[in-house]
Amino acid sequence: MGKRYKKRRKPFIFRKINLSRNAKMWIVLGIVLALLFVIARIAKLDILADIAAALIFTAPIVLANHQFANGNFFERTKKHNVLIYIYVALMFLIGFCPSIKIRWLLSFAYFVACGIYLMFRVKGTSFEFIMDEGDTLLLSITEFFMLLMIIALPVTTEINALGWILTAILSLALFLPIAYWIGRELSISLIKKIGINLCALFMIFVLCGIAIEGLNYSLDFSEPTVCSTQIDEKEHHNTSKGSDRRSFTVYMAGEYREIEVTSDVYKKYEKGENIDVNIHKGILGMTYYTIDE
């Protein structure tokens, strides 16, 4: 009689874990991204670090879009796919672009375009339907990432009267249709609606102020005035925006000024060193300060 071979059983841990194909794809992606990030940090190669950062912000979006497309989430529209892959392309362009101005303009352009698309998706749609929609989820995530890049602009700007006026006008233009939609769709008390509207107005006003400062900086290509001074203090701390903030305190025009700088500039100079500060007029007449890397 031939020998009977007993089928080898899987270890206990593997018998208990039954992962779906989608879950396995996420695990593999997470391991690959983690390894790439660790290798980039160890190798200290800027190009590898840029690739790792771009993949961390794009690969999960692409995978989620692929998995949702196989279900019923995105059966209503395919237009979101165009914005998804524009986002992916922009993230790589932003990662490798040396110009802060171009990076900010690309981020802002996508944020506006995607925001307009989402607003048209919202128009004529009930609040409950939007909360159940899958095709707005990923685009909302890309909007959030682009927002982080917009608010992380390392430039100190002195806002003038024109800046405040433009911020107010833009804020009202964005807030009024949102307030109308909230009043029409949300079945809640008047007090709660007022509270939501006030919070929305505040966030819109802050965002519009950041946009005005960014446009004043990014669209300005005039020659600056150079002021030679000395670094009195160096500061590095977290802001309410959730990002790191680095700044130098210098003495200019008879007073001390705190000037926000990039991480590269922060590492390049030490306290007490002489430094040249570029004073720009700004496209909207709002003075801002930069320091060359």
Side-chain angles (χ1 to χ4, degrees):
M1 293 178 64
K3 294 182 179 181
R4 292 184 177 180
Y5 293 94
K6 192 174 182 179
K7 186 177 180 181
R8 188 175 179 180
R9 301 182 68 185
K10 293 182 179 180
F12 174 78
I13 187 172
F14 292 108
R15 283 186 280 124
K16 287 293 183 181
I17 300 176
N18 185 19
L19 298 175
S20 65
R21 180 173 177 272
N22 287 345
K24 292 177 182 177
M25 292 174 69
W26 279 103
I27 292 174
V28 171
L29 177 62
I31 293 173
V32 171
L33 292 179
L35 288 174
L36 184 59
F37 178 77
V38 171
I39 293 172
R41 292 294 298 270
I42 294 175
K44 295 182 178 180
L45 295 175
D46 291 339
I47 186 171
L48 189 59
D50 290 338
I51 293 174
L55 287 174
I56 288 172
F57 283 99
T58 58
I61 298 293
V62 174
L63 178 57
N65 188 50
H66 169 72
Q67 291 181 350
F68 288 158
N70 293 330
N72 296 322
F73 280 125
F74 296 146
E75 64 183 359
R76 295 179 181 275
T77 177
K78 296 297 181 181
K79 294 178 181 178
H80 70 279
N81 282 325
V82 176
L83 288 169
I84 289 290
Y85 292 109
I86 289 177
Y87 163 80
V88 172
L90 285 181
M91 289 300 290
F92 279 92
L93 285 174
I94 291 170
F96 292 100
C97 180
S99 172
I100 298 177
K101 291 185 177 183
I102 294 177
R103 293 201 300 264
W104 191 91
L105 286 173
L106 289 174
S107 302
F108 182 72
Y110 178 88
F111 183 81
V112 172
C114 187
I116 292 174
Y117 173 77
L118 289 175
M119 289 180 67
F120 273 101
R121 289 281 294 157
V122 169
K123 185 178 180 181
T125 304
S126 67
F127 181 77
E128 292 77 10
F129 177 77
I130 292 172
M131 295 301 293
D132 293 334
E133 272 287 271
D135 60 352
T136 59
L137 175 61
L138 292 182
L139 289 181
S140 299
I141 294 174
T142 64
E143 280 283 85
F144 175 73
F145 288 153
M146 286 299 182
L147 177 62
L148 293 179
M149 295 185 180
I150 291 172
I151 66 178
L153 182 65
V155 175
T156 300
T157 304
E158 296 180 356
I159 302 181
N160 57 15
L162 177 61
W164 289 116
I165 292 172
L166 291 176
T167 299
I169 293 174
L170 184 59
S171 298
L172 286 176
L174 293 176
F175 171 70
L176 290 178
I178 292 176
Y180 172 76
W181 180 79
I182 291 174
R184 187 194 67 176
E185 295 298 334
L186 294 184
S187 301
I188 56 178
S189 65
L190 179 61
I191 298 298
K192 290 183 178 180
K193 287 183 179 181
I194 293 175
I196 293 174
N197 280 324
L198 290 176
C199 291
L201 179 60
F202 173 76
M203 290 187 292
I204 290 172
F205 186 82
V206 172
L207 179 58
C208 290
I210 294 171
I212 293 299
E213 289 185 24
L215 291 172
N216 176 74
Y217 161 76
S218 299
L219 298 177
D220 177 46
F221 297 97
S222 61
E223 288 295 325
T225 301
V226 180
C227 177
S228 297
T229 184
Q230 190 178 68
I231 300 175
D232 188 72
E233 291 290 343
K234 290 180 64 175
E235 294 185 8
H236 178 201
H237 50 81
N238 293 325
T239 68
S240 58
K241 301 174 184 177
S243 59
D244 289 340
R245 183 176 183 272
R246 300 168 178 85
S247 64
F248 293 158
T249 299
V250 298
Y251 189 76
M252 295 172 53
E255 62 180 338
Y256 287 99
R257 295 182 183 272
E258 186 178 5
I259 299 176
E260 196 165 349
V261 298
T262 64
S263 59
D264 291 335
V265 172
Y266 188 85
K267 296 175 184 176
K268 182 178 179 180
Y269 296 97
E270 297 297 333
K271 180 180 177 180
E273 284 191 59
N274 293 326
I275 195 170
D276 291 334
V277 177
N278 301 315
I279 306 174
H280 305 259
K281 293 182 179 180
I283 193 69
L284 298 176
M286 297 189 294
T287 303
Y288 66 92
Y289 306 90
T290 61
I291 297 175
D292 295 332
E293 296 183 4

